[in-house]
Amino acid sequence: MNFIDFHCDTASAMLEQNQPLRKNSLKVDIEKLQKGEALAQFFAMYIDKVKHESSYAYCLEMLQNFKQELVLNSENISLCRTHRDLIEAQKQGKIGAFLTIEEGEAIEGDLDKLRFFKQEGISAMTLTWNYENELGYPNFEWQYQNRGLKPKGFEVVEAMNELGMLIDVSHLSDAGFEDVITHSTKPIIATHSNARAVTNHSRNLTDEQLKKLADNGGVAGLAFSVNFLVEKESIDPLRLAKVEDMVRHIKHIRNIAGVEVLALGSDYDGIMNTVEMEDASQMFKLSDGLLKSGFSYDEVEKIFYKNGLRIIEEVLG
């Protein structure tokens, strides 16, 4: 079955480890995506801002490195900016590559830098990672849970709406989520967040948030982090993220907010734990698990790619 994965950290791993895109030792490469029948992969330019003098400069270096790899592999993968681009890539038998930024500090509070990244092919941005920045506050260990967007954050939400960019609220504080979903004129996305009612982790979404996201027309990408899937005392000794745990979250989210809010956001190459689907070539294990758990084929298709196609078309054009 085709799939759209809204989040992986492969681009940063490629840069840091000098790994190619076609075939590497990571969880995501072209060969694995082809084997897994990927329709599209969203590649995040992930930045730990405390490790770099300039988040903007590092993001640009990562982006340039990744785009060079896209050129080298243009017969198999295509940079996509819009729904039309993705459909054309599909017709040509290519994987669609969408580019995102994970850490709003990459624009350094400058809307011109945001516009520049949009021109360079960035389609989405996570407003925060694990640190406070000029846009807002993260939900890291609950400490900023009730702090919302900063004035610059509201400006960025407006600008991203105007530019046709997906606003990603994964990592954002609860109050920040509320600010974004209230202020945005377009559907938003939580690229890699699960259900807090199932696993009480600050990075997961509450039932109320999931319902609001569904009403907004947005989607939540299921993350494969074992910390988001099970409570600490229940984590497998081998720290394995199991399909059964993913199915449990998906069932809850479907029952609370409807199947249309569900998508995939693996966080491959960004998480440390092992996953029952060892890499991007094994997504079928999750689709099989869902079908065996009573999900209809149509529901699984919505989760795997149809809901993703809808929001791509609505926001990116």
Side-chain angles (χ1 to χ4, degrees):
M1 181 179 292
N2 288 145
F3 71 86
I4 296 174
D5 179 6
F6 278 99
H7 189 80
C8 73
D9 287 331
T10 309
S12 59
M14 284 170 53
L15 179 63
E16 296 297 329
Q17 301 175 34
N18 193 28
Q19 295 261 13
L21 181 59
R22 186 183 69 82
K23 185 177 182 179
N24 58 45
S25 61
L26 304 172
K27 303 301 182 184
V28 176
D29 61 29
I30 290 172
E31 291 189 3
K32 296 182 184 81
L33 290 169
Q34 288 174 327
K35 187 175 180 181
E37 300 183 0
L39 179 59
Q41 176 69 57
F42 280 62
F43 292 92
M45 307 298 119
Y46 156 69
I47 304 151
D48 184 339
K49 74 186 189 83
V50 302
K51 294 184 178 180
H52 306 284
E53 184 174 342
S54 167
S55 294
Y56 169 76
Y58 180 69
C59 186
L60 188 57
E61 179 186 4
M62 193 178 351
L63 180 60
Q64 290 172 338
N65 179 71
F66 191 80
K67 289 176 77 172
Q68 287 173 359
E69 286 291 318
L70 290 178
V71 171
L72 290 173
N73 295 281
S74 59
E75 71 278 7
N76 293 311
I77 192 166
S78 178
L79 172 62
C80 292
R81 302 167 185 262
T82 66
H83 180 266
R84 294 184 300 276
D85 290 343
L86 178 54
I87 298 305
E88 183 59 31
Q90 186 182 26
K91 288 178 181 177
Q92 297 177 14
K94 298 180 183 182
I95 298 160
F98 287 90
L99 308 182
T100 78
I101 290 173
E102 185 176 25
E103 171 56 85
E105 187 65 22
I107 66 169
E108 298 178 340
D110 186 346
L111 294 182
D112 285 338
K113 286 186 171 71
L114 177 68
R115 297 184 186 100
F116 168 76
F117 279 127
K118 168 65 176 179
Q119 292 171 356
E120 289 296 304
I122 296 293
S123 294
M125 185 169 73
T126 313
L127 299 186
T128 62
W129 187 56
N130 283 348
Y131 308 110
E132 174 187 354
N133 62 23
E134 293 190 53
L135 310 184
Y137 301 86
N139 240 7
F140 184 68
E141 295 183 349
W142 309 101
Q143 58 182 321
Y144 299 118
Q145 188 174 6
N146 298 314
R147 294 195 180 188
L149 291 182
K150 296 181 180 181
K152 183 62 68 174
F154 284 105
E155 290 181 27
V156 166
V157 167
E158 292 178 3
M160 291 180 73
N161 281 164
E162 292 171 3
L163 290 168
M165 300 178 72
L166 282 163
I167 301 168
D168 181 12
V169 293
S170 282
H171 287 285
L172 193 62
S173 65
D174 285 0
F177 174 99
E178 189 66 28
D179 284 340
V180 172
I181 206 160
T182 301
H183 201 68
S184 177
T185 58
K186 295 183 179 180
I188 66 172
I189 185 171
T191 56
H192 54 306
S193 298
N194 301 341
R196 197 179 298 175
V198 179
T199 303
N200 189 32
H201 193 289
S202 61
R203 278 277 288 101
N204 286 339
L205 299 173
T206 66
D207 287 354
E208 182 182 2
Q209 288 174 327
L210 289 164
K211 291 175 184 176
K212 288 182 177 181
L213 192 61
D215 291 342
N216 168 266
V219 297
L222 183 85
F224 298 170
S225 169
V226 71
N227 294 315
F228 303 168
L229 289 169
V230 297
E231 301 293 350
K232 287 183 179 180
E233 61 271 14
S234 302
I235 290 176
D236 188 289
L238 300 177
R239 295 189 64 80
L240 175 68
K242 299 178 181 179
V243 167
E244 64 186 66
D245 297 317
M246 298 177 194
V247 171
R248 189 168 67 253
H249 277 264
I250 291 172
K251 278 185 175 180
H252 177 82
I253 294 171
R254 179 195 61 180
N255 294 341
I256 287 296
V259 73
E260 287 77 14
V261 80
L262 281 156
L264 303 177
S266 69
D267 206 4
Y268 276 137
D269 296 320
I271 51 177
M272 304 304 294
N273 60 269
T274 54
V275 180
E276 195 167 341
M277 299 92 73
E278 294 178 9
D279 55 47
S281 71
Q282 298 186 2
M283 287 293 196
F284 70 90
K285 292 182 179 179
L286 179 55
S287 58
D288 287 352
L290 288 167
L291 292 169
K292 290 175 183 177
S293 298
F295 284 78
S296 70
Y297 194 83
D298 181 60
E299 285 180 316
V300 179
E301 281 189 319
K302 286 182 177 180
I303 296 164
F304 264 58
Y305 71 93
K306 286 185 175 179
N307 293 337
L309 283 175
R310 184 194 74 238
I311 196 169
I312 288 169
E313 182 173 20
E314 186 164 351
V315 179
L316 302 183

